[in-house]
Each structure stands twice: as structure tokens, then as C-alpha cells.
Amino acid sequence: MSVSSVVRLPTAMPSQAIKPTSLGMSGIRNNDTWTDGLPICKLSGVGMSANQMYREDGTPCSEHEYEDRSIHFCLDQHNNTYLYGVFDGHDGAKAAYFASQRMPAELSFEQLTGKTSEEEVKEVFRDAFLAVENAFLESIDPKIAERTQLLDKIPDGMSQFEAAQKFPDTVSRLQILDQEIRGGTTAVVALMHGGVLYVGNLGDSRALLCKKDRSGVLKVKQLTADHTTSSHDEIQRLSALNLPASKIKGAKFGNHELTRCIGNYFMKGGYKEFDILSLATSEPVIAEPHITCLPIDDSCSFLLLMSDGLYKSYQDSTGSEQVNKEIAQMVVEQFVEQPTLTSVAQTVVDKVVRLHHDNYLTKQRNVTFRDDISLIIRNFHFQLRGALTPGTASPRPPPRPTLHPRPHTQHKDYSSSSSGSEDITLLEDSDVLSGLPDARLLPGVRGHRQDVLDGVAHSGDLHTTDTNTTSTDSSDLQNPSLTQFSLDEDGRILPYVDFDHYYQAVEDARESGLIAEAQIHLYK
């Protein structure tokens, strides 16, 4: 990039009115943390992991600061208004942090009051993205002005090397300013208001909604559009600005392929400095969000918001063409295993991190670096197996082992759509939620068995000589969180399982000749 003067950004649109007195401070720019006063949504959980590059011996280390930021707030509990967001920063965390603070403000102070129609709310939602963009660019205006003044001190046509020799202090300061000005961030934001889910995004962070169809089959659908130079729609938009598609496709704008984002001044006000963008008739990188809305009903199971670090790391590690489906499947499996939504989200993140690292160590795939990862899970109606249902008086103990056979679960043949937008059958919800604690039988005993496959338990059925046995209803079985059990004075869990029925079953099996006397001592 030359050291010529930059093209100044057009005057920014005025931001929506902010009420400083309501915030108890003079504003929310820079590093104010007014969102600390907002109530966290208890129906959500967050998982995260910092970026890692791998040394030759396999040791992982961070290449840069953690640049992701996320929010999950209840803006108005009375009106069921919730806000969630993942902001994936690049060239620093400043823009992501700013957006995570400003976005709630653009939706917290009566902007939604009286807005009942979807079109009205969508307009407020869209304006919030643009207001955050303009506020961020205004916050770096002093640095842009200083940069312009310093550039004027360097003669036109002088090379960067020569400028560094003759004006070392000026060039050093310019480098610092460039770093502070170039930062930007993606944004995927979900707003729940009036029983409707609104999802807006800029860049390549994603939102996935898992919901059941009329047959009770759980499906995953991507609600966001990836705004990159690999997107057909974005290439067409840029082509309409006089940019050749052959040069744009797959190209990088600076250090990334994003065609929409918050911030990133040099790709906006300063885009004329880049040869690949210099022919554009207007700003090629924009902050106009893609917005999707749909009603929240009983079919909605859970919502996932994620930075590209999650799905790209998984894809790099597996080569999968069904990334959305397989990440959603991992979440489903952890709903069976984990006691909290945060542990569900973090376990999924950790699994992807380990998978990526293992691939580097085994050289199965060419992976050397992965980006920051953020994952937000917002639960609607999916049962968290390890937690109590709200209103339950006390935890129920785990089921006692049983020799009674249970009916065989018929598994379906699950297939995916071949279209670009995934609408993929995961599995029957009842199959997942029938996943129960493992009740493996004694060796040599014919009867009920239970196999645990891929973290989800599936019931099996073996024939038994006893025709009078009855099945156990899986809906009666619970797996409460260990943190809900009573502890003794040393912090150990008090006994809570009665094995009388188990030992009686062993005794009955011995008397019927199914197992030998010597085996009984092994089981007692």
C-alpha cells in the first residue's frame, strides 16, 4: 500500500439516540462495560477457545490475542425480549468489543417500544447494525485525522523504504495508527421479540436453528448468509460495482475474505488504495446485514450462534461436506450427557479443538492453525438430560439396573439435502431423548441390553426365555446432575442407589441356572 492520502469516509448516518443518564455514564464508546448491568439469559450457554498455531513438536500456542466477543442478555423479561451475539474480530479485538457493547444499547432504550409488526422490528434491527458501524467509525475519526496529517508530511511519490529512512518517527506512528484503524469484526446477532426470532449477520459467523418437523424429526437450518469472496451472491453484488468477478472470487481483502463487516476502515473509506478494489464505483465492503425472521413455536428446539473458527476447524479436520449437521449432532449428544448449557457448549468446542490438534499430530490432514472459537447455545424446548425441569421439587435418582427387555427402537435412514442451504434430518427427537444411563448386563445373561453409541444411548432387544417380563418406559428414567445430590461432611456424594433389586435379579438368575454359582461372587 502506498503512503498517499486516503479517501475520507462519507459523513456517517446519525446513530439512534442513546440515553447517557440511563447508563449512568457519559456514553458507551471506547472500553466502557455498561453491559455488565444487563441480566444474563439463563436459557443460554457459551463455549470458547483461543486461537492456536502448532509448533513442530505439536505444542499449541496462541498466535494473537483472543479476538472474539459474545453477548447473551435478557433485555426485557416482561416482554420476552432477548439478545444474543457473536462478534469475530480481525486485526485486533477492538471492533468486536465495541460492537458487543454498542449493539445492546441500540436495542435497549425504547427502540422496540410499540413495534409489533415484523417489518417494524426488522427495520429497528437493521438500523442497529448500521448505528454500531457508524459509531465505531466515528470513534476512530481522530486517528484517521491524525493519520491524514502525518501522511501530508511525506512527499508524494516517496517509497515506504525511503520514508522510513527520512521520517522514522512519522512512519512509526503511522504504523501504530494503521493497526488501530484497520480492525473490524463479523457479527451474527439473534433478537427474540414478540414471539419472533430475528437473526442478522455480517461476514461468515453463522446461526443454525434446530427444530422438529411435523413428523417429529429434528432438522438443522442455517439462518445466515456467508459474506465472503467465495459467495455467489456477494460476487454478483461486487460485479455490479464494476469489479471483475474473475479477480474477486476467492480473493483476500487484506487478511481475510469478508465482503461485509463492522469497521475495517481501509476496505471502506480507504478502498481506493487497494488495486483489487480501486475500480469500484462505491464502497465494496458494507455493513448492510442479512436478516431472517421466523416465529418461535413448540417446534423450535435450540439455536446455535458460532464464529467461523468452530465450523472451519471441524471442516479442516474432517473434510466433511455436512458441517452444520454434524456440529448440531454433537450438540444433541451433549444435551444427553451434560448438566448445563454452558457445559454442552464448552464440551462441543473442546471436542473440535481436540479433533483439530489430533489431526495435526497424526498428519491425517494438513492443518497448522485454527482461529478463535465461540459458540452460544440458546435452548427453546430441547430436554437437557442432566438438569431438573423447572418446577421439579427434588431430583429423581438414576434408574436401577433391570433384566427386563425393552422394546427395540427403530432407527431411521437419515439423509441430507443436496442443496447449498442445509435442511438436514438429524434423527427422531424421541430416539435422542430415550438415551439413558448405561445398564449393561452381566456376561452370560440373556435379556435386555443397552448399547451406547456416539454418546447417545439406543435401546436394544434380545430374546429371553421369560415370556412374562415387561418393558420399562424410558420416559420415567432421569439422569440428574451430580451437583444436585446430597453431600456428606467431607464433600462426598451420599449413597443414593438401592441395589436390592439388582442382587435379587442375580439370585433369580442363579436359581434358574442362567449363571453359575461362582459367577455370583464376582458381581457382589
Side-chain angles (χ1 to χ4, degrees), residues 21 139 145 392:
T21 55
S139 74
T392 302

Side-chain angles (χ1 to χ4, degrees), residues 86-88 90 99 103 125-126 128-133 184-189 199-206 224-228 234 237 258-263 268 285-291 306:
V86 169
F87 305 91
D88 181 1
H90 49 264
M103 184 63 74
F125 198 32
R126 170 186 175 275
F129 277 85
L130 299 179
V132 172
E133 158 82 345
T185 183
T186 71
V188 55
V189 182
V199 174
N201 84 287
L202 298 167
D204 54 2
S205 294
R206 286 184 183 177
T224 49
D226 293 340
H227 300 135
T228 69
E234 288 298 282
R237 181 180 67 80
L258 300 178
T259 57
R260 303 194 192 198
C261 66
I262 291 171
K268 294 176 179 176
V285 178
I286 60 177
E288 180 72 29
H290 171 275
I291 296 179
M306 67 189 71

Side-chain angles (χ1 to χ4, degrees), residues 9 11 50 59 86 100 127 145 165 171 228 357 369 371 396 422 464 481 484 492:
L9 188 72
T11 303
T59 303
V86 169
S100 71
D127 288 346
Q165 296 296 317
V171 171
T228 69
H357 189 212
F369 169 82
D371 203 355
R396 299 174 62 183
E422 283 184 292
T464 176
S481 167
Q484 298 165 346
R492 295 174 296 188

Side-chain angles (χ1 to χ4, degrees), residues 243-265:
L243 295 177
S246 58
K247 292 185 178 181
I248 291 298
K249 186 175 182 179
K252 284 193 173 184
F253 298 164
N255 297 324
H256 50 75
E257 301 176 355
L258 300 178
T259 57
R260 303 194 192 198
C261 66
I262 291 171
N264 201 5
Y265 170 76

Side-chain angles (χ1 to χ4, degrees), residues 169-321:
D169 294 339
T170 300
V171 171
S172 177
R173 178 59 182 166
L174 282 170
Q175 291 174 344
I176 295 173
L177 290 173
D178 284 354
Q179 182 61 36
E180 295 179 348
I181 290 171
R182 71 165 46 97
T185 183
T186 71
V188 55
V189 182
L191 170 69
M192 292 174 55
H193 179 72
V196 179
L197 172 65
Y198 302 85
V199 174
N201 84 287
L202 298 167
D204 54 2
S205 294
R206 286 184 183 177
L208 308 179
L209 177 65
C210 289
K211 59 184 300 184
K212 292 181 289 185
D213 63 12
R214 293 182 179 180
S215 301
V217 177
L218 191 64
K219 295 184 177 181
V220 58
K221 186 175 183 62
Q222 183 173 324
L223 302 181
T224 49
D226 293 340
H227 300 135
T228 69
T229 55
S230 298
S231 165
H232 175 71
D233 291 342
E234 288 298 282
I235 291 174
Q236 284 191 320
R237 181 180 67 80
L238 295 171
S239 296
L241 300 179
N242 196 38
L243 295 177
S246 58
K247 292 185 178 181
I248 291 298
K249 186 175 182 179
K252 284 193 173 184
F253 298 164
N255 297 324
H256 50 75
E257 301 176 355
L258 300 178
T259 57
R260 303 194 192 198
C261 66
I262 291 171
N264 201 5
Y265 170 76
F266 287 123
M267 296 299 146
K268 294 176 179 176
Y271 72 92
K272 291 291 186 180
E273 294 191 22
F274 289 82
D275 291 340
I276 194 173
L277 301 175
S278 60
L279 297 177
T281 55
S282 63
E283 290 185 2
V285 178
I286 60 177
E288 180 72 29
H290 171 275
I291 296 179
T292 302
C293 64
L294 69 165
I296 302 171
D297 54 30
D298 290 343
S299 69
C300 296
S301 294
F302 56 86
L303 176 71
L304 306 178
L305 303 182
M306 67 189 71
S307 59
D308 70 323
L310 182 66
Y311 67 83
K312 286 184 178 178
S313 294
Y314 183 83
Q315 189 171 42
D316 290 345
S317 301
T318 64
S320 172
E321 296 181 356

Side-chain angles (χ1 to χ4, degrees), residues 1-7 147 151 154 156-158 272-273:
M1 184 176 68
S2 67
V3 291
S4 59
S5 298
V6 299
V7 178
R147 181 178 184 272
L151 286 173
I154 301 176
D156 291 340
M158 181 176 288
K272 291 291 186 180
E273 294 191 22

